[in-house]
Amino acid sequence: MKPITIAHLFPELLNLYGDGGNVIALRRRCEWRGIPVQVSEVGMDDDIDFAHADIVFVGGGADREQLIAKDAIARRKSELSAYVSDGGVLLAVCGGYQFLGHHYTMGDTVVEGLGIVDMETVRGQGRLIGNAAIQTDIAETPVIGFENHGGRTTLGAGVKPFGRVLGATHGNNGEDGLEGVHQGNLIGTYLHGPLLPKNPAIADHLIAAALVRRGESGELAPLDDAVEAAANRVMAKRMGVA
């Protein structure tokens, strides 16, 4: 079997709250099933051919790091857009998520986004911070994470969210009850944590989608997720959403 290739964009800058753990989770869950996998860490000045990527991951960063990364992201706009349009699997967290829209603001700076998703992000008053939980049709149990963002994201009409907020979760903007985006094989979210270790159903959804896109079976052998389920359950109970 051809290895699943995971492209991790700019890990030296966009790795807030352990976001790189999402790549570790994807790699391990492939390895535990005997699925060949390789991770390509893409630096700011590195070349990348998205035609050879099966899963692309973009993490979050503080404002300074996002401003540094924005030009490197912009240079890959056409390639990333083509990858997503072709059914490419993409997970983007927080700052990486904000890059997907038409534009977003950081202070007085308006940053042009990739325009892959019909959404906009503006700077709000204060930050939306705290443990977070959402209900999504991808997983049977609540998806657990941690949010800390000053941006307020609004999805365009008809754009599907990743999920709906539970408990005291703020979500995209603290007002409409929506969190993230789910568009084809693309998931964008504000949930750090990292997200995938406590939510293995989301990791498996991404892996299965990558396999199906290559024309292979998306049926995955079951794993013993007792530890992961316990971590999820503890936080869900703490938030009162179990």
Side-chain angles (χ1 to χ4, degrees):
M1 178 188 291
K2 176 185 174 183
I4 283 184
T5 299
I6 303 170
H8 185 180
L9 302 192
F10 320 138
E12 71 274 29
L13 287 174
L14 304 179
N15 187 23
L16 202 61
Y17 300 117
D19 284 338
N22 292 308
V23 173
I24 295 173
L26 289 168
R27 185 178 72 236
R28 291 289 186 240
R29 294 186 72 80
C30 286
E31 291 172 344
W32 292 337
R33 293 182 167 103
I35 300 172
V37 59
Q38 60 186 22
V39 175
S40 175
E41 294 191 345
V42 182
M44 295 275 290
D45 299 319
D46 292 342
D47 293 327
I48 177 173
D49 183 355
F50 289 104
H52 297 296
D54 295 299
I55 301 174
V56 174
F57 174 68
V58 190
D63 286 356
R64 175 181 177 275
E65 282 71 26
Q66 283 185 233
L67 284 172
I68 294 173
K70 68 178 178 64
D71 292 334
I73 286 279
R75 286 197 300 271
R76 295 164 171 86
K77 179 176 181 177
S78 60
E79 292 88 349
L80 267 173
S81 297
Y83 169 79
V84 171
S85 296
D86 190 43
V89 180
L90 172 66
L91 174 62
V93 174
C94 201
Y97 169 38
Q98 294 174 346
F99 279 127
L100 301 178
H102 299 299
H103 69 265
Y104 65 94
T105 58
M106 290 192 296
D108 297 327
T109 302
V110 178
V111 179
E112 182 180 355
L114 297 172
I116 293 174
V117 176
D118 181 15
M119 68 181 209
E120 295 184 355
T121 301
V122 299
R123 175 67 70 184
Q125 292 295 320
R127 302 189 67 82
L128 304 181
I129 304 174
N131 292 317
I134 68 170
Q135 192 65 56
T136 174
D137 57 8
I138 298 176
E140 295 181 1
T141 58
V143 173
I144 300 298
F146 177 79
E147 59 181 342
N148 182 352
H149 53 101
R152 308 296 196 268
T153 297
T154 302
L155 303 180
V159 177
K160 182 181 179 181
F162 181 31
R164 294 189 172 272
V165 303
L166 298 173
T169 303
H170 300 288
N172 282 340
N173 50 52
E175 296 180 0
D176 60 16
L178 306 180
E179 205 292 316
V181 64
H182 182 195
Q183 177 174 292
N185 286 333
L186 174 155
I187 293 176
T189 179
Y190 276 115
L191 301 188
H192 298 282
L195 172 69
L196 300 183
K198 292 192 290 293
N199 303 284
I202 308 303
D204 286 352
H205 172 84
L206 297 170
I207 295 169
L211 290 171
V212 169
R213 180 173 179 254
R214 300 194 325 192
E216 301 175 24
S217 172
E219 185 174 350
L220 300 177
L223 297 175
D224 180 1
D225 288 329
V227 173
E228 292 86 345
N232 179 291
R233 190 163 52 249
V234 165
M235 290 306 302
K237 288 183 176 179
R238 186 176 297 176
M239 294 185 64
V241 299

Short mmCIF file of all heavy atoms in Angstrom, two decimals, residues 1-7 26-27 29-30 33 35-38 50-57 83 86-91 182 184-187 196 201-220:
data_model
loop_
_atom_site.label_atom_id
_atom_site.label_comp_id
_atom_site.label_asym_id
_atom_site.label_seq_id
_atom_site.Cartn_x
_atom_site.Cartn_y
_atom_site.Cartn_z
N MET A 1 0.85 -1.20 0.00
CA MET A 1 0.00 0.00 0.00
C MET A 1 0.88 1.24 0.00
O MET A 1 1.87 1.33 0.71
CB MET A 1 -0.91 0.01 1.25
CG MET A 1 -1.79 1.25 1.35
SD MET A 1 -2.69 1.37 2.93
CE MET A 1 -3.84 0.02 2.73
N LYS A 2 0.48 2.20 -0.82
CA LYS A 2 1.20 3.47 -0.85
C LYS A 2 1.01 4.20 0.48
O LYS A 2 -0.10 4.24 1.02
CB LYS A 2 0.64 4.31 -2.00
CG LYS A 2 1.22 5.71 -2.11
CD LYS A 2 0.51 6.50 -3.19
CE LYS A 2 0.96 7.94 -3.21
NZ LYS A 2 0.21 8.74 -4.22
N PRO A 3 2.08 4.78 1.03
CA PRO A 3 1.95 5.47 2.33
C PRO A 3 1.00 6.67 2.24
O PRO A 3 0.93 7.35 1.21
CB PRO A 3 3.37 5.94 2.64
CG PRO A 3 4.26 5.08 1.81
CD PRO A 3 3.48 4.76 0.58
N ILE A 4 0.27 6.89 3.31
CA ILE A 4 -0.48 8.14 3.46
C ILE A 4 0.53 9.23 3.78
O ILE A 4 1.34 9.10 4.70
CB ILE A 4 -1.53 8.03 4.58
CG1 ILE A 4 -2.73 7.23 4.09
CG2 ILE A 4 -1.97 9.41 5.05
CD1 ILE A 4 -3.86 7.15 5.09
N THR A 5 0.50 10.30 3.01
CA THR A 5 1.42 11.42 3.23
C THR A 5 0.69 12.56 3.91
O THR A 5 -0.31 13.07 3.39
CB THR A 5 2.02 11.91 1.89
OG1 THR A 5 2.76 10.84 1.29
CG2 THR A 5 2.95 13.09 2.13
N ILE A 6 1.19 12.94 5.08
CA ILE A 6 0.63 14.06 5.84
C ILE A 6 1.57 15.24 5.69
O ILE A 6 2.74 15.17 6.06
CB ILE A 6 0.48 13.70 7.33
CG1 ILE A 6 -0.40 12.45 7.49
CG2 ILE A 6 -0.11 14.87 8.11
CD1 ILE A 6 -0.39 11.89 8.90
N ALA A 7 1.06 16.34 5.16
CA ALA A 7 1.85 17.56 5.01
C ALA A 7 1.51 18.50 6.16
O ALA A 7 0.37 18.94 6.30
CB ALA A 7 1.55 18.23 3.68
N LEU A 26 -2.68 11.37 14.03
CA LEU A 26 -2.95 10.79 12.72
C LEU A 26 -1.93 9.73 12.36
O LEU A 26 -2.28 8.64 11.87
CB LEU A 26 -2.95 11.90 11.66
CG LEU A 26 -4.13 12.88 11.68
CD1 LEU A 26 -3.84 14.07 10.78
CD2 LEU A 26 -5.42 12.19 11.27
N ARG A 27 -0.66 10.04 12.59
CA ARG A 27 0.40 9.08 12.25
C ARG A 27 0.27 7.79 13.06
O ARG A 27 0.32 6.69 12.52
CB ARG A 27 1.77 9.71 12.49
CG ARG A 27 2.91 8.80 12.04
CD ARG A 27 4.26 9.45 12.23
NE ARG A 27 4.63 9.53 13.64
CZ ARG A 27 4.95 10.64 14.27
NH1 ARG A 27 4.92 11.80 13.63
NH2 ARG A 27 5.29 10.62 15.54
N ARG A 29 -2.37 6.53 14.59
CA ARG A 29 -3.57 5.73 14.29
C ARG A 29 -3.44 5.00 12.95
O ARG A 29 -4.06 3.95 12.75
CB ARG A 29 -4.82 6.62 14.33
CG ARG A 29 -5.09 7.15 15.73
CD ARG A 29 -6.41 7.90 15.83
NE ARG A 29 -7.55 7.02 15.76
CZ ARG A 29 -8.00 6.30 16.77
NH1 ARG A 29 -7.38 6.31 17.95
NH2 ARG A 29 -9.06 5.53 16.62
N CYS A 30 -2.64 5.54 12.05
CA CYS A 30 -2.30 4.80 10.84
C CYS A 30 -1.36 3.64 11.17
O CYS A 30 -1.59 2.48 10.77
CB CYS A 30 -1.65 5.72 9.82
SG CYS A 30 -2.76 6.86 8.99
N ARG A 33 -2.69 0.52 12.77
CA ARG A 33 -3.48 -0.32 11.86
C ARG A 33 -2.63 -0.94 10.76
O ARG A 33 -3.16 -1.62 9.87
CB ARG A 33 -4.58 0.52 11.22
CG ARG A 33 -5.65 1.01 12.20
CD ARG A 33 -6.71 1.80 11.45
NE ARG A 33 -7.90 2.03 12.24
CZ ARG A 33 -8.20 3.18 12.83
NH1 ARG A 33 -7.37 4.22 12.72
NH2 ARG A 33 -9.31 3.30 13.54
N ILE A 35 -1.12 0.79 8.45
CA ILE A 35 -1.21 1.61 7.26
C ILE A 35 0.08 2.42 7.12
O ILE A 35 0.41 3.19 8.03
CB ILE A 35 -2.42 2.57 7.33
CG1 ILE A 35 -3.72 1.79 7.48
CG2 ILE A 35 -2.46 3.48 6.12
CD1 ILE A 35 -4.93 2.67 7.74
N PRO A 36 0.83 2.26 6.05
CA PRO A 36 2.06 3.05 5.89
C PRO A 36 1.75 4.54 5.91
O PRO A 36 0.74 4.98 5.34
CB PRO A 36 2.59 2.62 4.51
CG PRO A 36 1.92 1.32 4.22
CD PRO A 36 0.59 1.38 4.89
N VAL A 37 2.61 5.31 6.57
CA VAL A 37 2.36 6.74 6.69
C VAL A 37 3.68 7.47 6.75
O VAL A 37 4.67 6.95 7.29
CB VAL A 37 1.51 7.04 7.95
CG1 VAL A 37 2.21 6.55 9.22
CG2 VAL A 37 1.16 8.51 8.06
N GLN A 38 3.72 8.66 6.20
CA GLN A 38 4.90 9.50 6.30
C GLN A 38 4.47 10.94 6.50
O GLN A 38 3.42 11.37 5.99
CB GLN A 38 5.79 9.38 5.06
CG GLN A 38 5.12 9.77 3.76
CD GLN A 38 6.00 9.50 2.55
OE1 GLN A 38 6.91 8.67 2.60
NE2 GLN A 38 5.72 10.20 1.44
N PHE A 50 1.27 19.62 -3.63
CA PHE A 50 0.09 19.12 -2.94
C PHE A 50 -0.53 17.93 -3.65
O PHE A 50 -1.37 17.23 -3.08
CB PHE A 50 -0.95 20.24 -2.78
CG PHE A 50 -0.55 21.28 -1.77
CD1 PHE A 50 -0.09 22.52 -2.19
CD2 PHE A 50 -0.61 21.02 -0.42
CE1 PHE A 50 0.29 23.48 -1.27
CE2 PHE A 50 -0.23 21.97 0.51
CZ PHE A 50 0.22 23.20 0.09
N ALA A 51 -0.12 17.67 -4.89
CA ALA A 51 -0.62 16.50 -5.60
C ALA A 51 -0.19 15.21 -4.92
O ALA A 51 -0.81 14.16 -5.10
CB ALA A 51 -0.14 16.52 -7.05
N HIS A 52 0.88 15.28 -4.12
CA HIS A 52 1.39 14.10 -3.43
C HIS A 52 0.96 14.06 -1.97
O HIS A 52 1.39 13.18 -1.22
CB HIS A 52 2.91 14.05 -3.53
CG HIS A 52 3.42 13.93 -4.94
ND1 HIS A 52 3.17 12.83 -5.72
CD2 HIS A 52 4.14 14.79 -5.71
CE1 HIS A 52 3.73 13.00 -6.91
NE2 HIS A 52 4.32 14.18 -6.93
N ALA A 53 0.12 14.98 -1.54
CA ALA A 53 -0.34 15.02 -0.16
C ALA A 53 -1.69 14.32 -0.04
O ALA A 53 -2.56 14.45 -0.91
CB ALA A 53 -0.46 16.46 0.34
N ASP A 54 -1.87 13.57 1.04
CA ASP A 54 -3.15 12.92 1.31
C ASP A 54 -3.92 13.65 2.41
O ASP A 54 -5.14 13.67 2.40
CB ASP A 54 -2.93 11.46 1.74
CG ASP A 54 -2.33 10.64 0.62
OD1 ASP A 54 -2.98 10.52 -0.44
OD2 ASP A 54 -1.22 10.11 0.79
N ILE A 55 -3.20 14.23 3.37
CA ILE A 55 -3.79 15.03 4.43
C ILE A 55 -2.90 16.24 4.64
O ILE A 55 -1.68 16.10 4.75
CB ILE A 55 -3.92 14.24 5.76
CG1 ILE A 55 -4.77 12.98 5.58
CG2 ILE A 55 -4.52 15.13 6.85
CD1 ILE A 55 -4.82 12.09 6.82
N VAL A 56 -3.49 17.42 4.69
CA VAL A 56 -2.75 18.65 4.97
C VAL A 56 -3.23 19.17 6.32
O VAL A 56 -4.43 19.23 6.58
CB VAL A 56 -2.96 19.70 3.88
CG1 VAL A 56 -2.31 21.03 4.28
CG2 VAL A 56 -2.38 19.22 2.55
N PHE A 57 -2.26 19.55 7.16
CA PHE A 57 -2.61 20.12 8.47
C PHE A 57 -1.97 21.50 8.62
O PHE A 57 -0.78 21.68 8.34
CB PHE A 57 -2.13 19.23 9.62
CG PHE A 57 -2.35 19.87 10.96
CD1 PHE A 57 -3.63 20.05 11.46
CD2 PHE A 57 -1.28 20.32 11.71
CE1 PHE A 57 -3.84 20.68 12.68
CE2 PHE A 57 -1.47 20.94 12.93
CZ PHE A 57 -2.75 21.13 13.42
N TYR A 83 -6.11 21.84 -4.43
CA TYR A 83 -6.08 20.62 -3.62
C TYR A 83 -7.44 20.39 -2.96
O TYR A 83 -7.99 19.28 -3.00
CB TYR A 83 -4.97 20.74 -2.58
CG TYR A 83 -4.97 19.68 -1.51
CD1 TYR A 83 -4.46 18.42 -1.76
CD2 TYR A 83 -5.47 19.95 -0.24
CE1 TYR A 83 -4.46 17.44 -0.78
CE2 TYR A 83 -5.46 18.99 0.75
CZ TYR A 83 -4.96 17.73 0.48
OH TYR A 83 -4.97 16.77 1.47
N ASP A 86 -10.22 19.48 -5.32
CA ASP A 86 -10.07 18.10 -5.81
C ASP A 86 -10.39 17.08 -4.72
O ASP A 86 -10.11 15.90 -4.88
CB ASP A 86 -8.64 17.89 -6.33
CG ASP A 86 -8.48 16.58 -7.08
OD1 ASP A 86 -9.36 16.25 -7.89
OD2 ASP A 86 -7.48 15.88 -6.82
N GLY A 87 -10.97 17.53 -3.61
CA GLY A 87 -11.34 16.61 -2.54
C GLY A 87 -10.24 16.34 -1.54
O GLY A 87 -10.34 15.41 -0.74
N GLY A 88 -9.19 17.16 -1.57
CA GLY A 88 -8.08 16.97 -0.63
C GLY A 88 -8.53 17.13 0.82
O GLY A 88 -9.39 17.95 1.13
N VAL A 89 -7.94 16.33 1.69
CA VAL A 89 -8.28 16.35 3.11
C VAL A 89 -7.44 17.41 3.81
O VAL A 89 -6.20 17.40 3.71
CB VAL A 89 -8.03 14.96 3.75
CG1 VAL A 89 -8.37 14.99 5.23
CG2 VAL A 89 -8.85 13.90 3.03
N LEU A 90 -8.10 18.32 4.50
CA LEU A 90 -7.42 19.43 5.15
C LEU A 90 -8.00 19.65 6.53
O LEU A 90 -9.22 19.74 6.69
CB LEU A 90 -7.56 20.71 4.33
CG LEU A 90 -7.07 22.02 4.95
CD1 LEU A 90 -5.56 22.00 5.14
CD2 LEU A 90 -7.48 23.21 4.09
N LEU A 91 -7.14 19.72 7.55
CA LEU A 91 -7.54 20.11 8.90
C LEU A 91 -6.80 21.39 9.24
O LEU A 91 -5.57 21.45 9.19
CB LEU A 91 -7.19 19.02 9.92
CG LEU A 91 -7.44 19.38 11.39
CD1 LEU A 91 -8.91 19.67 11.66
CD2 LEU A 91 -6.93 18.27 12.32
N HIS A 182 -17.18 22.67 8.02
CA HIS A 182 -16.98 21.34 7.44
C HIS A 182 -17.45 21.41 6.00
O HIS A 182 -18.65 21.46 5.72
CB HIS A 182 -17.78 20.29 8.23
CG HIS A 182 -17.58 18.90 7.71
ND1 HIS A 182 -18.40 17.85 8.05
CD2 HIS A 182 -16.63 18.38 6.89
CE1 HIS A 182 -17.99 16.76 7.47
NE2 HIS A 182 -16.91 17.05 6.75
N GLY A 184 -16.81 19.59 2.37
CA GLY A 184 -16.18 18.48 1.68
C GLY A 184 -15.28 17.70 2.62
O GLY A 184 -15.71 17.24 3.68
N ASN A 185 -14.01 17.58 2.26
CA ASN A 185 -13.03 16.91 3.12
C ASN A 185 -12.20 17.91 3.92
O ASN A 185 -11.13 17.58 4.43
CB ASN A 185 -12.10 16.03 2.29
CG ASN A 185 -12.80 14.77 1.80
OD1 ASN A 185 -13.73 14.29 2.43
ND2 ASN A 185 -12.35 14.24 0.67
N LEU A 186 -12.71 19.13 4.05
CA LEU A 186 -12.03 20.18 4.81
C LEU A 186 -12.74 20.39 6.14
O LEU A 186 -13.96 20.50 6.20
CB LEU A 186 -12.04 21.48 3.99
CG LEU A 186 -11.52 22.78 4.62
CD1 LEU A 186 -11.04 23.72 3.51
CD2 LEU A 186 -12.59 23.48 5.45
N ILE A 187 -11.94 20.44 7.21
CA ILE A 187 -12.46 20.81 8.53
C ILE A 187 -11.62 21.96 9.07
O ILE A 187 -10.39 21.88 9.12
CB ILE A 187 -12.40 19.63 9.52
CG1 ILE A 187 -13.36 18.52 9.11
CG2 ILE A 187 -12.73 20.10 10.95
CD1 ILE A 187 -13.28 17.27 9.99
N LEU A 196 -7.26 16.04 18.08
CA LEU A 196 -7.48 14.66 17.67
C LEU A 196 -7.22 13.60 18.74
O LEU A 196 -7.92 12.59 18.76
CB LEU A 196 -6.66 14.35 16.41
CG LEU A 196 -7.01 15.22 15.19
CD1 LEU A 196 -6.20 14.77 13.98
CD2 LEU A 196 -8.50 15.18 14.88
N ALA A 201 -12.55 9.81 16.72
CA ALA A 201 -13.47 9.67 15.60
C ALA A 201 -13.18 10.69 14.51
O ALA A 201 -13.36 10.41 13.32
CB ALA A 201 -14.91 9.80 16.08
N ILE A 202 -12.73 11.88 14.91
CA ILE A 202 -12.40 12.91 13.92
C ILE A 202 -11.13 12.52 13.17
O ILE A 202 -11.04 12.68 11.95
CB ILE A 202 -12.23 14.29 14.60
CG1 ILE A 202 -13.46 14.62 15.46
CG2 ILE A 202 -12.01 15.37 13.54
CD1 ILE A 202 -14.77 14.60 14.71
N ALA A 203 -10.14 12.00 13.90
CA ALA A 203 -8.91 11.54 13.25
C ALA A 203 -9.22 10.45 12.24
O ALA A 203 -8.72 10.47 11.10
CB ALA A 203 -7.92 11.05 14.30
N ASP A 204 -10.04 9.49 12.64
CA ASP A 204 -10.36 8.38 11.73
C ASP A 204 -11.18 8.86 10.54
O ASP A 204 -11.04 8.32 9.43
CB ASP A 204 -11.14 7.30 12.50
CG ASP A 204 -10.24 6.50 13.43
OD1 ASP A 204 -9.01 6.69 13.39
OD2 ASP A 204 -10.78 5.69 14.21
N HIS A 205 -12.02 9.85 10.75
CA HIS A 205 -12.77 10.43 9.63
C HIS A 205 -11.81 10.99 8.57
O HIS A 205 -12.01 10.78 7.36
CB HIS A 205 -13.68 11.55 10.15
CG HIS A 205 -14.36 12.33 9.07
ND1 HIS A 205 -15.53 11.92 8.47
CD2 HIS A 205 -14.01 13.51 8.46
CE1 HIS A 205 -15.88 12.81 7.55
NE2 HIS A 205 -14.98 13.78 7.53
N LEU A 206 -10.77 11.67 9.01
CA LEU A 206 -9.80 12.25 8.09
C LEU A 206 -9.00 11.16 7.37
O LEU A 206 -8.77 11.24 6.16
CB LEU A 206 -8.86 13.19 8.84
CG LEU A 206 -9.51 14.41 9.50
CD1 LEU A 206 -8.51 15.11 10.42
CD2 LEU A 206 -10.04 15.38 8.45
N ILE A 207 -8.58 10.16 8.11
CA ILE A 207 -7.80 9.06 7.51
C ILE A 207 -8.64 8.32 6.48
O ILE A 207 -8.18 8.03 5.36
CB ILE A 207 -7.31 8.09 8.60
CG1 ILE A 207 -6.31 8.79 9.53
CG2 ILE A 207 -6.67 6.85 7.97
CD1 ILE A 207 -5.98 8.00 10.78
N ALA A 208 -9.88 8.01 6.84
CA ALA A 208 -10.77 7.28 5.92
C ALA A 208 -11.03 8.10 4.66
O ALA A 208 -11.03 7.57 3.54
CB ALA A 208 -12.08 6.94 6.62
N ALA A 209 -11.23 9.40 4.82
CA ALA A 209 -11.47 10.26 3.66
C ALA A 209 -10.27 10.28 2.73
O ALA A 209 -10.42 10.29 1.50
CB ALA A 209 -11.81 11.68 4.12
N ALA A 210 -9.06 10.29 3.31
CA ALA A 210 -7.84 10.28 2.50
C ALA A 210 -7.73 8.99 1.70
O ALA A 210 -7.35 9.00 0.52
CB ALA A 210 -6.63 10.47 3.39
N LEU A 211 -8.08 7.87 2.32
CA LEU A 211 -8.00 6.58 1.63
C LEU A 211 -9.04 6.50 0.52
O LEU A 211 -8.73 6.05 -0.60
CB LEU A 211 -8.21 5.45 2.64
CG LEU A 211 -7.08 5.22 3.65
CD1 LEU A 211 -7.49 4.23 4.72
CD2 LEU A 211 -5.81 4.74 2.93
N VAL A 212 -10.26 6.94 0.78
CA VAL A 212 -11.31 6.89 -0.23
C VAL A 212 -10.95 7.77 -1.42
O VAL A 212 -11.18 7.40 -2.58
CB VAL A 212 -12.66 7.34 0.39
CG1 VAL A 212 -13.70 7.55 -0.70
CG2 VAL A 212 -13.15 6.30 1.39
N ARG A 213 -10.36 8.92 -1.15
CA ARG A 213 -9.96 9.82 -2.24
C ARG A 213 -8.96 9.16 -3.17
O ARG A 213 -8.94 9.43 -4.37
CB ARG A 213 -9.36 11.10 -1.65
CG ARG A 213 -8.90 12.12 -2.69
CD ARG A 213 -8.48 13.42 -2.03
NE ARG A 213 -8.01 14.40 -3.00
CZ ARG A 213 -6.73 14.73 -3.17
NH1 ARG A 213 -5.78 14.17 -2.41
NH2 ARG A 213 -6.38 15.63 -4.07
N ARG A 214 -8.14 8.25 -2.63
CA ARG A 214 -7.17 7.54 -3.45
C ARG A 214 -7.77 6.32 -4.13
O ARG A 214 -7.06 5.59 -4.82
CB ARG A 214 -5.99 7.09 -2.58
CG ARG A 214 -5.28 8.21 -1.92
CD ARG A 214 -3.94 7.86 -1.34
NE ARG A 214 -3.79 6.54 -0.77
CZ ARG A 214 -2.74 6.18 -0.01
NH1 ARG A 214 -1.79 7.07 0.23
NH2 ARG A 214 -2.64 4.98 0.47
N GLY A 215 -9.05 6.06 -3.91
CA GLY A 215 -9.69 4.91 -4.52
C GLY A 215 -9.57 3.64 -3.71
O GLY A 215 -9.87 2.54 -4.22
N GLU A 216 -9.16 3.77 -2.45
CA GLU A 216 -9.03 2.61 -1.57
C GLU A 216 -10.22 2.55 -0.61
O GLU A 216 -11.02 3.48 -0.52
CB GLU A 216 -7.71 2.70 -0.79
CG GLU A 216 -6.49 2.76 -1.68
CD GLU A 216 -5.20 2.96 -0.89
OE1 GLU A 216 -5.17 2.62 0.31
OE2 GLU A 216 -4.23 3.49 -1.47
N SER A 217 -10.32 1.45 0.10
CA SER A 217 -11.41 1.30 1.06
C SER A 217 -11.21 2.24 2.24
O SER A 217 -10.11 2.38 2.77
CB SER A 217 -11.46 -0.14 1.58
OG SER A 217 -12.38 -0.26 2.65
N GLY A 218 -12.28 2.89 2.64
CA GLY A 218 -12.21 3.76 3.81
C GLY A 218 -12.58 3.05 5.10
O GLY A 218 -12.68 3.69 6.15
N GLU A 219 -12.75 1.75 5.03
CA GLU A 219 -13.09 0.98 6.23
C GLU A 219 -11.84 0.77 7.07
O GLU A 219 -10.85 0.18 6.60
CB GLU A 219 -13.72 -0.36 5.85
CG GLU A 219 -14.20 -1.17 7.04
CD GLU A 219 -14.94 -2.43 6.64
OE1 GLU A 219 -15.25 -2.59 5.44
OE2 GLU A 219 -15.21 -3.27 7.53
N LEU A 220 -11.86 1.23 8.30
CA LEU A 220 -10.70 1.15 9.18
C LEU A 220 -10.90 0.09 10.26
O LEU A 220 -11.99 -0.03 10.82
CB LEU A 220 -10.46 2.51 9.86
CG LEU A 220 -10.19 3.69 8.93
CD1 LEU A 220 -10.04 4.97 9.75
CD2 LEU A 220 -8.96 3.46 8.07
#
